Amino acid sequence: MHSDSDELTALSLLGDLDVISGHADRAVETLREPLSRFNVLSDGMMFRNYATALMESGDLREAESAFREALPRIRRAYGSSAFVLHDAALLLAHRGQIDDAARVSAYAERVYASMGRKP
C-alpha cells in the first residue's frame, strides 16, 4: 500500500543520492515539488536534504532558509538536530565564515558527545 510518507521518504533518498553523485541541481528539482505539494510539516529530513542540495548547487540564501525549517523538525523527531548543525557549519564555510563554521561544528560535536554518540 502506497502512502505519502513512503513517497516522501523515497524522493528524499533520491535527492540525497543525487547530491552525493554530484547532481545537486537535479536534487533541488526532485525535492522542491514534493515540498510544495505535500503537507511536510513534520518531515525534517526532506527539508535537510533539500537544504543540502540547495547549498551544493550554490543557492546559499535559500539553503539557509531550508536548514532553518529542518532544525526544529529534526530536533522533535530525533531528540537532537546536531547533524543538521554540521550541515549548517558547512554552509557557513561556503560563505567564508570559517570561524563561525568551526564554532557551530564544535557545538554539534559537544551535543553528540553529551548524548554518547560520535558525529
Side-chain angles (χ1 to χ4, degrees), residues 15-32:
D16 204 24
L17 289 171
D18 279 342
V19 169
I20 291 167
S21 63
H23 301 286
D25 291 334
R26 185 168 61 197
V28 168
E29 293 308 312
T30 297
L31 299 172
R32 177 179 288 140

Side-chain angles (χ1 to χ4, degrees), residues 49-101:
N49 290 351
Y50 182 59
T52 300
L54 288 164
M55 178 177 60
E56 292 301 318
S57 71
D59 191 345
L60 303 183
R61 186 174 53 84
E62 199 59 35
E64 179 182 347
S65 177
F67 278 131
R68 288 181 185 277
E69 290 288 331
L71 279 166
R73 291 172 171 84
I74 295 285
R75 190 177 310 116
R76 273 193 305 275
Y78 298 97
S80 170
S81 55
F83 62 96
V84 179
L85 291 175
H86 274 294
D87 299 332
L90 185 57
L91 174 67
L92 290 167
H94 277 295
R95 288 185 169 161
Q97 297 171 267
I98 305 303
D99 290 342
D100 291 336

Side-chain angles (χ1 to χ4, degrees), residues 2 5 8 12-13 17 27-28 33 35-36 39 44-45 47-48 53 60 73 76 83 92-93 96 100 103 108 111:
H2 168 75
S5 177
L8 286 173
S12 187
L13 290 170
L17 289 171
V28 168
E33 192 271 332
L35 282 170
S36 66
N39 178 7
M45 290 303 289
F47 277 102
R48 180 210 182 201
L60 303 183
R73 291 172 171 84
R76 273 193 305 275
F83 62 96
L92 290 167
D100 291 336
R103 280 191 285 279
V111 170

